[in-house]
Amino acid sequence: MRLKQMVKGGEVNTWACINFASDITHAAAVAFCDELAVMCVISGMNFKGDPVLPLVNAKPNHVRPFLKKHYQRFMEILRPLHKELDLLIVILPDKNGTLYGDIKRICETDLGLVSQCCLAKHVLKMKPQYLTNIALKINMKVGGRNTVLLDAVVGNLPRVSNTPTIIFGADVSHPHHGEGRSSPSIAAVVASQDWPEVTNYAGLVRPQARHEEIIQGLFNENDCGSGCISGGMIKEHLISFMRSTGHIPRRIIFYRDVVSKGRLNMVLEHELSAIKKACASLDPIYNPQVTIIMVQKQHHTRLFAGNYGVGSTIFQSGNVLPGTVVDKEICHPTDFDFYLCSHAGTKGVSRPVRYHVLWDENNFTANALQILTNHLCYT
């Protein structure tokens, strides 16, 4: 980020800071906030220099009542001005246990606050690189835009720039052993909220049955007596996309974290059906083109350059160049899959990501047709 600025800087007009780290003095915390504000401005944000109230030192005990009490103090000043608190900076001790999770849960669910947590060890050092990273995080949280693909700006993204497209990403996280049998699995779905840049994303999460791989909350219907009320994460994201862009998505690209081979048919049957139903619930004739891509990161395939003597064919660390794609010889003989090394690997050996196109309504793959055939025969 040196000598660079964000594509679109967000605004932080009202902010405050709470310090939970006992080893950070009041003066050190104030100096950190001042340096962070300066870095945000240098990076391209409109960041006001003074907090709503002077910095507050706090103890980790009784976090919920403390945060609510001081939120009321902030709002007593801002409410007559018809303003909200744009950002809460929180300084945490290095070993904070559940404090981070408690603060995030309270800010997100109880108070509706955008928060940025910083560890004490970074506050003391105040390295420019760390301040820049925090500024980038804050900018995204307050509605700014850090980066954008040049091809997207000039309308040259294949299959995206020519047609209003929404891009989804979905995964399920399962509880670890020892978390208790009542802990649910958590399904998360993010979706792009702009077009054609596809750089801003919104996220939704839903709890579901423990260790259930298939996402249950993509679409649902509730019978309320007078009729069915449909909802679900896909429908919410589609409505949000249309409100933010003014366009109806004609193409859906759905990236899905990989599941076991035995469950591929179930994913295609349940989740593709949920996507279709969510679209039909908006309008019976609404039928966008859907592409479902499985993304696999846990595998043993590694890519190496064929000629280490030619510097233009390898990265400085010895890895393959970022952007390397392999779509033959080591791929599946009939399915449509490929390996992509999208990032520069500065240490160790880069691990490419395997993309398996499970369903594509523009160009049906052999595997998708076979699964569809099996499903139709079964039903």
Side-chain angles (χ1 to χ4, degrees):
M1 285 294 292
R2 185 174 298 172
L3 303 179
K4 295 181 177 68
Q5 284 197 334
M6 303 153 177
V7 173
K8 176 187 174 184
E11 291 191 8
V12 177
N13 296 312
T14 56
W15 63 278
C17 180
I18 297 178
N19 176 25
F20 284 97
S22 58
D23 54 338
I24 300 296
T25 64
H26 184 87
V30 171
F32 172 78
C33 290
D34 291 342
E35 290 294 323
L36 179 59
V38 170
M39 183 58 73
C40 288
V41 173
I42 293 174
S43 301
M45 292 182 62
N46 182 9
F47 197 105
K48 301 296 184 183
D50 298 324
V52 175
L53 286 173
L55 183 140
V56 180
N57 293 311
K59 295 182 179 181
N61 300 330
H62 309 294
V63 177
R64 182 185 296 273
F66 182 87
L67 286 176
K68 288 188 174 182
K69 172 186 174 182
H70 284 279
Y71 175 72
Q72 291 299 326
R73 291 184 59 202
F74 301 143
M75 294 311 299
E76 287 175 2
I77 297 174
L78 297 175
R79 194 172 287 114
L81 303 175
H82 304 287
K83 295 182 179 180
E84 297 287 339
L85 188 65
D86 295 332
L87 175 68
L88 178 64
I89 300 173
V90 182
I91 300 175
L92 299 177
D94 296 331
K95 295 182 180 180
N96 53 74
T98 62
L99 181 59
Y100 172 81
D102 293 339
I103 290 173
K104 285 295 182 181
R105 184 176 62 256
I106 296 166
C107 288
E108 293 284 345
T109 62
D110 293 349
L111 306 179
L113 279 179
V114 173
S115 60
Q116 179 59 54
C117 295
C118 308
L119 290 178
K121 60 182 179 181
H122 299 306
V123 171
L124 288 173
K125 295 177 182 178
M126 282 194 294
K127 291 184 177 181
Q129 183 178 0
Y130 176 76
L131 294 173
T132 301
N133 289 340
I134 295 298
L136 290 171
K137 290 183 178 182
I138 293 175
N139 189 54
M140 291 299 295
K141 292 177 181 180
V142 298
R145 180 178 293 172
N146 293 339
T147 59
V148 66
L149 288 172
L150 180 60
D151 284 340
V153 175
V154 299
N156 196 31
L157 277 183
R159 298 170 64 89
V160 173
S161 295
N162 62 341
T163 303
T165 302
I166 182 171
I167 298 180
F168 287 89
D171 192 11
V172 180
S173 298
H174 303 292
H176 298 289
H177 295 291
E179 287 191 26
R181 297 192 177 185
S182 61
S183 299
S185 292
I186 304 296
V189 178
V190 301
S192 58
Q193 300 297 299
D194 57 345
W195 177 80
E197 294 85 0
V198 291
T199 54
N200 286 344
Y201 285 77
L204 294 171
V205 296
R206 296 285 189 277
Q208 62 182 41
R210 183 181 177 90
H211 295 306
E212 175 58 62
E213 278 284 357
I214 308 302
I215 300 177
Q216 303 297 316
L218 294 180
F219 177 78
N220 52 64
E221 286 183 328
N222 297 320
D223 189 356
C224 298
S226 59
C228 290
I229 300 176
S230 62
M233 292 186 281
I234 296 293
K235 185 175 182 178
E236 289 185 39
H237 277 311
L238 290 173
I239 293 173
S240 179
F241 178 91
M242 288 185 279
R243 286 175 177 171
S244 61
T245 65
H247 294 278
I248 299 173
R250 297 298 178 185
R251 179 177 289 125
I252 293 176
I253 301 177
F254 191 84
Y255 287 95
R256 176 69 160 89
D257 193 56
V258 74
V259 298
S260 60
K261 280 189 176 182
R263 293 209 157 194
L264 284 178
N265 288 21
M266 296 177 62
V267 168
L268 190 59
E269 179 181 348
H270 178 86
E271 298 185 6
L272 177 61
S273 174
I275 294 172
K276 293 292 188 180
K277 289 179 181 179
C279 295
S281 69
L282 294 171
D283 193 308
I285 64 172
Y286 177 47
N287 186 29
Q289 299 170 339
V290 178
T291 300
I292 298 179
I293 305 173
M294 288 289 178
V295 183
Q296 183 180 6
K297 291 165 285 186
Q298 300 298 326
H299 56 74
H300 300 291
T301 303
R302 300 294 184 270
L303 303 180
F304 300 92
N307 188 352
Y308 278 89
V310 181
S312 60
T313 64
I314 60 173
F315 192 62
Q316 59 190 13
S317 62
N319 282 302
V320 295
L321 293 172
T324 298
V325 174
V326 176
D327 58 359
K328 57 184 179 180
E329 296 184 6
I330 64 172
C331 300
H332 197 279
T334 58
D335 292 359
F336 178 23
D337 67 336
F338 60 92
Y339 292 89
L340 166 64
C341 191
S342 58
H343 296 279
T346 58
K347 294 181 179 180
V349 179
S350 296
R351 177 183 298 179
V353 178
R354 177 178 179 253
Y355 294 87
H356 178 191
V357 182
L358 190 63
W359 182 269
D360 186 1
E361 294 185 347
N362 296 286
N363 181 21
F364 285 102
T365 66
N367 185 55
L369 284 173
Q370 185 62 48
I371 293 176
L372 177 60
T373 303
N374 293 341
H375 173 60
L376 292 177
C377 291
Y378 176 76
T379 55

